[in-house]
Amino acid sequence: MRLQIPNFRLRSARRTLAGVILALVTSTTVVRAEMIDRVLAVVAQQLITLSDVNAALELGLETAPATGDPIRAVLTRLIDRELVLAEVDRYAPAEPTTGAVDDQIRIVRDRFPSAAAFSSALARSGIDELHLRETLRQNLRIAAYLSQRFAAAPDRRQTLIDEWMTGLRRRADVIDLYLGS
Amino acid sequence: MLRRSAMARAALLGLWLWCATAPQSDAAITDYLGRTIASVRLLTEGRDTTDPLLTQVVETVAGQPLSMAQVRESIAHLFSLGRFEDVRVDATLEGGRVVLRYDLVPIHPVTKIQFAGPLNVPGVDVGQLRRAVVDRYGASPPLGRLADMTRIIGDELREEGYLRASITPRPEVAHAPEHATLVFTIDPGPRTTIGEVQIVGRPTVSPEEFRSRLRLTTGAPYRREALNQRIEKYVEERRKRGYYESQVLPAVQLVDDDRVANVTVTVAPGPLVRVKFTGDPLPSSKHEDLVPVEREGSVDEDLLEDSSNRIEEGLRAQGYRDATAAHSREAIQGELVITFDVKAGRQYRVASLNLSGTSAVTQAELEPILRLHAGQPFSEERLDADTAAVQDFYRRRGYASATARPTADFQTTASAVAQVPVAVTIAISEGVRTLVDGVTFTGNVAIDATALGAGVALQPGAPFVPSQIAADRERLQIRYQNLGYGSASVDAVPQFSQDNTHVTVQFTIHEGPQIFVEHILIVGNVRTSTETIERELQVKQGGPFSVSAINDSQRRLTELGLFHRVQITELPHGEENQRDLLVTIEEAPPTTIAYGGGFEIGRITVPDPITGNADQVYEAAPRASLEIGRRNLFGKNRSLNLFSSISLHPKGSVDDSQGPVTTGNTYGLTEYRVVGTYREPRLFDTPLDALVNVTIEQQIRSSFNYRRESASAQVSKRLNRSLVATGSYQLQRTELLEVKIDESDPLIDRLFSPLPIRLSSFTGSLVNDTRDDQFNPRSGLFLSASGQIAAEAIGSQVGFVKSYFTAQGFHLLPHTNGIVLAGSARVGLAAEFNFEDPIPEPERFFAGGDTTVRGFALDSLGVRHIPPDLIHDTINVDGFPIGGDGLVIFNAELRVPVQGGLGVVGFVDTGNVFARASFIDFAELRSAIGGGVRYKSPIGPIRIDLGFKIRPQPGESLTAWYVSFGQAF
């Protein structure tokens, strides 16, 4: 019995020590530095960062798929967007009106319950309203370009766009650094 | 006990929960945002770095609140430096403050490419494999292209017969400095050899010879591309012999696990092809151009059809509008005969050309633009062109609805005459003239309407030219782009009055966002100071993002001559209405050494050994030069240059009338020149460039030789892109060495000083240079004016004023194959302050030679009267030039490119040297005409000119020729 006490104490001490180590190890794991931004891809010298992906998701400019890696899915779409934008810049379609860009801003703003929530989402992504405005303007230019270029065959429009995109991707100079989560 | 144990467990669980739920463990970005930054660390491969180039581009600063916008921008800057393949930013909370860490993953440039494996087998050439990779991806290929490089090496090995080679790439990364060795481990596998060879068909040579020419030997390595090349060469040879339909098709079957290639070659020799022309004759020199069967190596139907059309079009352009040139194929005795049956028919000629309906424009105004005239062969193509030209003429004058319709009345008669007269009429409907009432602008905010209106060609009151709208839209767009409105677009709508006589043009401008330059990052400069580079940049931080200013900056940096490569690229940026610019430079070596050698051949004036009179002879003198330069001293674009040249002139000479005669083995006076130059751009941080020059030289001239030591200091200022003003001070000491003029000459004492002379002078000049190329201009002007004053008051032994004016123009003649008309006028005026102290000899004007008036030997031009006129003559009684105070030279030259780097010129030169500026008399100009050859050789543009004097004087030879470098002017 006497022997059992120290034995118990030893076991108890061991357990306590293991628990402390576990707690410290766990705590060490949780206090690791958090990645707040990084380069995910480079398309024709244009960077796409993690904060770009976050911004697209938070502001509802892109939607994450129900399954799979949301960052991968949005990144792929942003890469495609840059490729299309390079084409758009070459042909300079009609400039969207200020009103049209305002409408787009309003749609994004309406996704948030308050102006503060909207501002907070912008701040989290590291962009301001001017940046958002420019992004939406570019989206309108892309839309104008696509409807101008693929207006002739509305029934086959999406197929033609997909084929064209495949060609753009094949010729593109893309560095994709994202390996998935 | 159990309770204690349970308590301990509970305590541990609590500790774990506390640790796991601690605020810092589950921090979202929002937990960091706005908090004060405690520190910012930059790590490359885990090591801290404080490289100022990196720290200066990081926007997040300790002590400031964290902003994601600044994080994004910092990532963009760091990545854009081109040194990192990834940038990651981590954050942790320490005591409520943010510790930021930028993890930079450096790019490891490949410095070495190695090959491993069993490579000592025939056909595997490691050097060739390396060349294939380097040719495609450069000496430092990107690691991201490993797959492509592997494919290229595989292709090379396959070509050598190793169809199943295995290639495994592996980068071996090393640090400090970061670099990588690219290792390709190769297992070539078995080499495929040629097995059975089968020839199908009938080659024109024996099967053995055919096999031998294609090197189809059983057991030899199978090299597909080499076989194809040999087949191509064989077919080419057959086609050269007229077998244009010859075909050789290889088929390869790989057996035995690709170890053996059985080759079947199908040969179709095709018939010998002969092209024949029947009917009306065509110039034989044109046959090959009209029917390019031999050149194309083909007789396919499309080519023959094109040939028929070409013949017909050619004849129609000559007035044979009914011409036909049908072709046919016929097999005759094993030959394929292609016959073009040419029927020119009757020739139509323009009998009259009338322009009807003209009222606002006279026929005399329209005639110069017409290509068709009475008496010329009639061509419908030319008539259409004339009609379009007339219509365009009207539209340019505001007749926007003007139309012109051609009609041709063929005055055919029943009799079959050879020529048919054609009465041509161009009926013009002028319509109303439209004048611009007004030009309005909407949508413009950045530029006011007055400023926009001044920049367009359409102006109120001016005729309305529809095509001008597009040109003006482009002008406006460029203007906006130069202000940073890169996506600005302009629409234009003309609004006509009811009777179309007036129009108001409304330009609608969509300015789009203005883009600004936020940061300019300069990388790559090691020796050159950043300040030196910034000085040349025409874009500034905070200024508009102007593409033309960026291009201008790149040009200016390149023109500094300090860099091998200058690249200004736009950086991605967090803010889409802001851009950063990355200026990447690659510095050139600071020390330059140049040397050269050659022969100088020229016609010079020498005293006759018996009579002492001037004689003109050709002389060939070897010469050499050495130049050592050190540029970019102290990183400020200062430069130091030392140039030296030496020319050894033979003691004797080569008389052109008697052929080469050597009169001595030793050299005579040695010509030399040593010039040290120090250049300091932007002297004392002003827009002035300074130049200090020290020269020591010994030169041979026609009437004298001299030795001179001189020093000068010069400042210059570029007033605009083409205009440069210069001011300088010179101090020099000149000593005459050999005066070739007889001592009894009455002018000797006055003109040729026996003692060294010191000159101290100031010079000012203005140069406006708009030439497109300094050495071989095709367009532009070169205008210069300079004035020099030397006076005793500033330390000179002789006082004088001297001025020199140059005007040169270059014009590329339109509708020619690069023919350039060049003209030059040079005038020199000088006067001494004291007649007793004349301008020293080397400072006087001389003319004659390859850059002034060709046809005359170097410096031999001058005024000479019989009997001698001591006041006016600038050639003495013995025929030696003594120089003068007045100079006039005019040149006109037509430069015609011939082929490749070869060209010919024709020229007229005229000019003379006068004793005084007031004696200049155009009636006494001496002239020469001639021609020459120009050749752009690898060592520089070589020039050979032969000039003929117009009205040579007694004792003068008719011609003079020159061999030299560069253009005459």
Side-chain angles (χ1 to χ4, degrees):
Chain A
M1 208 43 201
R2 286 183 65 192
L3 283 173
Q4 280 178 341
I5 295 167
N7 193 26
F8 169 76
R9 279 183 183 157
L10 185 61
R11 278 208 307 272
S12 177
R14 278 180 186 157
R15 280 180 192 157
T16 306
L17 183 63
V20 169
I21 289 170
L22 174 68
L24 287 175
V25 165
T26 316
S27 70
T28 305
T29 309
V30 292
V31 296
R32 76 182 186 278
E34 187 182 354
M35 184 187 296
I36 56 171
D37 206 356
R38 64 162 292 202
V39 177
L40 294 181
V42 188
V43 186
Q45 297 186 325
Q46 293 286 328
L47 292 187
I48 299 176
T49 58
L50 180 61
S51 53
D52 285 323
V53 172
N54 288 339
L57 279 169
E58 276 216 69
L59 299 170
L61 306 180
E62 300 288 349
T63 46
T67 56
D69 180 357
I71 295 179
R72 174 79 269 167
V74 175
L75 175 63
T76 304
R77 277 181 233 146
L78 292 183
I79 289 172
D80 285 353
R81 181 181 179 274
E82 284 300 333
L83 297 177
V84 175
L85 211 46
E87 287 294 297
V88 171
D89 285 341
R90 283 172 61 197
Y91 293 98
E95 185 63 24
T97 61
T98 312
V101 181
D102 288 342
D103 288 345
Q104 293 296 312
I105 291 269
R106 202 173 307 118
I107 290 169
V108 175
R109 203 191 294 262
D110 289 348
R111 292 186 184 127
F112 294 88
S114 64
F118 174 60
S119 299
S120 175
L122 290 178
R124 279 195 298 277
S125 310
I127 64 172
D128 57 12
E129 199 166 326
L130 211 58
H131 184 149
L132 174 64
R133 190 177 181 80
E134 181 58 18
T135 306
L136 296 171
R137 175 183 153 264
Q138 298 287 22
N139 286 352
L140 289 172
R141 291 178 76 220
I142 290 174
Y145 173 80
L146 292 178
S147 40
Q148 190 181 320
R149 179 165 180 153
F150 299 101
D155 51 330
R156 294 176 53 239
R157 186 168 188 266
Q158 196 50 50
T159 315
L160 291 173
I161 292 175
D162 291 345
E163 283 171 5
W164 176 66
M165 277 309 307
T166 308
L168 284 185
R169 288 188 202 110
R170 200 172 42 239
R171 294 192 300 272
D173 183 15
V174 177
I175 301 168
D176 192 339
L177 298 167
Y178 182 64
L179 298 173
S181 54
Chain B
M1 292 269 176
L2 284 172
R3 192 177 296 162
R4 282 176 65 185
S5 171
M7 281 173 68
R9 280 177 195 157
L12 278 173
L13 183 63
L15 174 67
W16 184 85
L17 281 173
W18 178 79
C19 289
T21 58
Q24 62 198 132
S25 64
D26 194 20
I29 287 175
T30 41
D31 296 324
Y32 303 108
L33 286 181
R35 286 180 185 264
T36 305
I37 299 170
S39 64
V40 180
R41 289 173 66 199
L42 273 71
L43 292 95
T44 52
E45 299 209 316
R47 294 186 301 276
D48 278 297
T49 175
T50 52
D51 181 346
L53 180 62
L54 302 180
T55 54
Q56 75 179 12
V57 299
V58 173
E59 299 287 318
T60 48
V61 183
Q64 303 272 325
L66 176 68
S67 137
M68 275 306 289
Q70 288 175 335
V71 172
R72 285 168 58 86
E73 202 169 318
S74 304
I75 290 180
H77 289 169
L78 288 164
F79 197 86
S80 303
L81 295 176
R83 288 167 53 180
F84 307 106
E85 58 189 36
D86 197 0
V87 178
R88 297 163 185 237
V89 188
D90 294 337
T92 43
L93 283 176
E94 266 182 24
R97 303 205 307 167
V98 186
V99 174
L100 273 186
R101 194 178 76 166
Y102 287 81
D103 207 352
L104 311 173
V105 182
I107 290 172
H108 293 87
V110 173
T111 53
K112 205 183 279 182
I113 300 172
Q114 287 182 342
F115 295 89
L119 301 172
N120 198 15
V121 290
V124 177
D125 178 353
V126 168
Q128 176 56 32
L129 296 179
R130 185 176 289 112
R131 271 194 298 279
V133 172
V134 171
D135 285 353
R136 180 72 181 80
Y137 295 107
S140 180
L143 289 176
R145 299 287 189 186
L146 267 184
D148 295 325
M149 287 185 262
T150 306
R151 186 179 45 73
I152 283 176
I153 293 169
D155 289 347
E156 288 289 321
L157 290 168
R158 257 188 297 284
E159 176 43 32
E160 289 302 323
Y162 296 99
L163 304 188
R164 293 196 162 195
S166 137
I167 303 131
T168 312
R170 185 180 79 252
E172 288 180 355
V173 173
H175 308 290
E178 309 300 337
H179 68 279
T181 299
L182 199 48
V183 182
F184 291 98
T185 305
I186 295 174
D187 176 9
R191 194 177 199 187
T192 307
T193 54
I194 294 175
E196 289 175 16
V197 177
Q198 200 181 351
I199 311 295
V200 179
R202 194 169 45 83
T204 47
V205 293
S206 70
E208 290 72 29
E209 190 186 337
F210 186 70
R211 275 198 184 90
S212 155
R213 287 175 69 169
L214 299 190
R215 292 189 210 162
L216 285 169
T217 311
T218 302
Y222 168 60
R223 298 170 63 226
R224 191 186 57 183
E225 197 48 43
L227 174 63
N228 287 342
Q229 281 173 9
R230 286 193 287 270
I231 288 174
E232 209 171 288
K233 192 176 166 199
Y234 175 83
V235 171
E236 192 63 30
E237 276 176 21
R238 301 301 304 158
R239 287 186 175 165
K240 273 188 186 160
R241 292 180 184 199
Y243 294 88
Y244 299 122
E245 295 192 321
S246 173
Q247 280 189 333
V248 177
L249 299 171
V252 177
Q253 191 189 11
L254 295 170
V255 295
D256 191 14
D257 215 12
D258 292 355
R259 287 166 197 272
V260 176
N262 292 329
V263 183
T264 304
V265 182
T266 307
V267 187
L272 177 65
V273 176
R274 193 152 57 87
V275 177
K276 209 170 86 177
F277 294 89
T278 59
D280 292 318
L282 295 173
S284 57
S285 60
K286 297 254 172 119
H287 285 182
E288 178 54 26
D289 285 339
L290 293 168
V291 186
V293 163
E294 191 179 330
R295 194 170 60 220
E296 299 289 328
S298 163
V299 285
D300 75 45
E301 197 48 38
D302 284 348
L303 189 135
L304 298 180
E305 193 63 47
D306 286 348
S307 301
S308 288
N309 290 340
R310 213 172 287 122
I311 295 169
E312 287 167 5
E313 280 162 16
L315 288 168
R316 281 173 196 152
Q318 294 171 42
Y320 299 97
R321 67 185 297 269
D322 303 326
T324 60
H327 65 270
S328 60
R329 291 165 175 261
E330 197 179 0
I332 304 172
Q333 296 171 345
E335 285 186 353
L336 173 64
V337 179
I338 296 169
T339 307
F340 285 87
D341 187 20
V342 181
K343 291 196 174 97
R346 291 181 295 180
Q347 191 180 36
Y348 291 70
R349 278 189 178 272
V350 178
S352 61
L353 174 66
N354 294 314
L355 297 162
S356 68
T358 56
S359 129
V361 174
T362 64
Q363 298 212 356
E365 284 178 277
L366 290 171
E367 266 162 20
I369 64 169
L370 301 177
R371 290 165 65 203
L372 215 54
H373 296 289
Q376 280 185 342
F378 171 76
S379 155
E380 275 168 7
E381 192 186 314
R382 225 172 289 168
L383 178 57
D384 289 344
D386 282 355
T387 306
V390 168
Q391 210 159 283
D392 184 57
F393 184 90
Y394 270 96
R395 299 220 163 136
R396 284 179 183 280
R397 274 156 185 75
Y399 295 87
S401 58
T403 56
R405 288 199 178 77
T407 51
D409 181 15
F410 305 106
Q411 295 165 357
T412 48
T413 54
S415 59
V417 289
Q419 290 196 345
V420 178
V422 185
V424 176
T425 304
I426 298 177
I428 298 162
S429 166
E430 292 181 335
V432 293
R433 190 181 199 202
T434 312
L435 295 176
V436 178
D437 246 6
V439 179
T440 62
F441 301 92
T442 57
N444 56 307
V445 177
I447 310 173
D448 66 48
T450 315
L452 290 174
V456 294
L458 284 168
Q459 292 292 331
F464 172 65
V465 183
S467 61
Q468 200 61 61
I469 288 184
D472 281 346
R473 274 179 53 204
E474 199 172 323
R475 270 195 201 105
L476 291 170
Q477 228 156 293
I478 289 171
R479 183 154 186 192
Y480 269 98
Q481 281 166 3
N482 287 343
L483 287 175
Y485 294 89
S487 59
S489 63
V490 180
D491 293 327
V493 180
Q495 289 162 337
F496 293 91
S497 63
Q498 211 158 19
D499 58 358
N500 280 343
T501 55
H502 291 86
V503 66
T504 300
V505 181
Q506 182 177 345
F507 288 99
T508 306
I509 293 155
H510 310 280
E511 292 184 339
Q514 188 175 18
I515 312 291
F516 293 93
V517 177
E518 192 179 24
H519 293 105
I520 298 175
L521 309 178
I522 297 169
V523 295
N525 52 321
V526 179
R527 289 180 299 274
T528 315
S529 71
T530 301
E531 184 195 15
T532 302
I533 296 166
E534 280 173 343
R535 215 160 46 205
E536 303 303 323
L537 295 177
Q538 301 302 295
V539 273
K540 303 293 172 202
Q541 290 189 165
F545 182 86
S546 159
V547 175
S548 68
I550 291 170
N551 292 341
D552 204 23
S553 305
Q554 179 137 352
R555 182 186 57 75
R556 290 172 67 111
L557 284 170
T558 306
E559 281 176 3
L560 285 180
L562 302 176
F563 313 120
H564 266 323
R565 195 170 64 93
V566 176
Q567 199 177 8
I568 302 180
T569 44
E570 175 189 337
L571 294 185
H573 198 285
E575 298 298 330
E576 300 224 359
N577 67 336
Q578 291 188 323
R579 300 281 186 275
D580 289 342
L581 286 177
L582 178 68
V583 181
T584 312
I585 63 162
E586 195 181 307
E587 291 177 330
T591 305
T592 55
I593 298 177
Y595 53 86
F599 270 89
E600 184 182 28
I601 303 171
R603 192 172 169 86
I604 59 163
T605 306
V606 295
D608 185 284
I610 300 163
T611 64
N613 289 344
D615 197 8
Q616 290 179 0
V617 298
Y618 283 106
E619 184 195 69
R623 59 178 302 150
S625 67
L626 173 69
E627 187 171 8
I628 301 172
R630 179 87 184 170
R631 57 187 160 196
N632 207 6
L633 291 170
F634 318 115
K636 298 280 186 186
N637 194 19
R638 297 168 179 134
S639 62
L640 192 61
N641 224 52
L642 183 70
F643 172 82
S644 60
S645 69
I646 185 165
S647 180
L648 303 174
H649 289 262
K651 219 172 195 175
S653 61
V654 180
D655 189 325
D656 68 331
S657 60
Q658 295 169 13
V661 272
T662 307
T663 55
N665 294 327
T666 52
Y667 287 99
L669 188 77
T670 299
E671 260 190 316
Y672 63 81
R673 190 159 215 245
V674 181
V675 184
T677 308
Y678 172 74
R679 184 173 166 272
E680 166 110 24
R682 299 190 65 88
L683 182 69
F684 307 128
D685 221 15
T686 64
L688 300 174
D689 291 341
L691 197 72
V692 176
N693 211 305
V694 177
T695 305
I696 300 168
E697 62 184 331
Q698 183 166 284
Q699 299 290 324
I700 296 174
R701 302 293 292 265
S702 295
S703 305
F704 56 90
N705 304 328
Y706 66 89
R707 182 185 299 137
R708 176 186 285 164
E709 296 101 38
S710 67
S712 70
Q714 174 190 303
V715 287
S716 62
K717 184 183 178 188
R718 184 169 285 279
L719 303 175
N720 61 36
R721 200 161 172 168
S722 60
L723 191 62
V724 177
T726 304
S728 65
Y729 169 75
Q730 304 92 34
L731 181 65
Q732 65 184 49
R733 177 184 177 276
T734 308
E735 181 184 358
L736 290 186
L737 299 176
E738 292 174 18
V739 177
K740 295 163 193 171
I741 294 176
D742 193 326
E743 286 182 8
S744 62
D745 192 304
L747 293 173
I748 188 76
D749 288 341
R750 190 178 81 80
L751 292 176
F752 295 94
S753 161
L755 297 171
I757 287 186
R758 185 182 66 250
L759 281 183
S760 170
S761 65
F762 284 99
T763 302
S765 71
L766 209 54
V767 175
N768 189 32
D769 189 354
T770 59
R771 292 172 298 175
D772 59 342
D773 183 334
Q774 277 191 337
F775 302 103
N776 189 21
R778 288 157 65 91
S779 66
L781 291 171
F782 176 84
L783 305 171
S784 83
S786 70
Q788 182 185 9
I789 180 164
E792 288 181 21
I794 54 170
S796 186
Q797 287 179 300
V798 180
F800 63 87
V801 288
K802 191 170 152 186
S803 57
Y804 195 75
F805 305 91
T806 305
Q808 294 175 345
F810 304 88
H811 181 65
L812 184 65
L813 297 183
H815 314 301
T816 64
N817 187 24
I819 297 176
V820 174
L821 178 63
S824 169
R826 285 169 274 183
V827 175
L829 307 168
E832 56 264 359
F833 292 147
N834 179 358
F835 184 69
E836 297 303 317
D837 284 327
I839 298 175
E841 320 58 47
E843 298 303 314
R844 283 177 219 141
F845 297 116
F846 288 85
D850 68 316
T851 59
T852 53
V853 181
R854 289 160 282 190
F856 293 85
L858 180 70
D859 294 348
S860 68
L861 202 57
V863 176
R864 186 179 192 184
H865 293 97
I866 300 171
D869 178 343
L870 296 182
I871 304 295
H872 291 90
D873 284 359
T874 50
I875 301 283
N876 79 349
V877 287
D878 297 328
F880 283 99
I882 55 175
D885 293 355
L887 171 83
V888 175
I889 299 167
F890 297 113
N891 312 88
E893 189 169 283
L894 202 61
R895 300 170 181 170
V896 183
V898 178
Q899 198 173 14
L902 196 67
V904 294
V905 303
F907 59 81
V908 181
D909 296 342
T910 186
N912 216 334
V913 176
F914 301 89
R916 300 200 161 274
S918 57
F919 294 169
I920 289 175
D921 181 356
F922 285 91
E924 290 201 276
L925 296 185
R926 303 289 312 276
S927 303
I929 58 165
V933 179
R934 306 286 181 269
Y935 179 63
K936 287 181 194 160
S937 77
I939 55 165
I942 294 175
R943 169 159 66 100
I944 301 172
D945 282 330
L946 176 63
F948 294 84
K949 293 181 187 74
I950 296 174
R951 290 194 296 273
Q953 291 183 348
E956 283 184 338
S957 64
L958 176 66
T959 62
W961 59 272
Y962 314 89
V963 180
S964 51
F965 284 97
Q967 295 287 5
F969 58 91

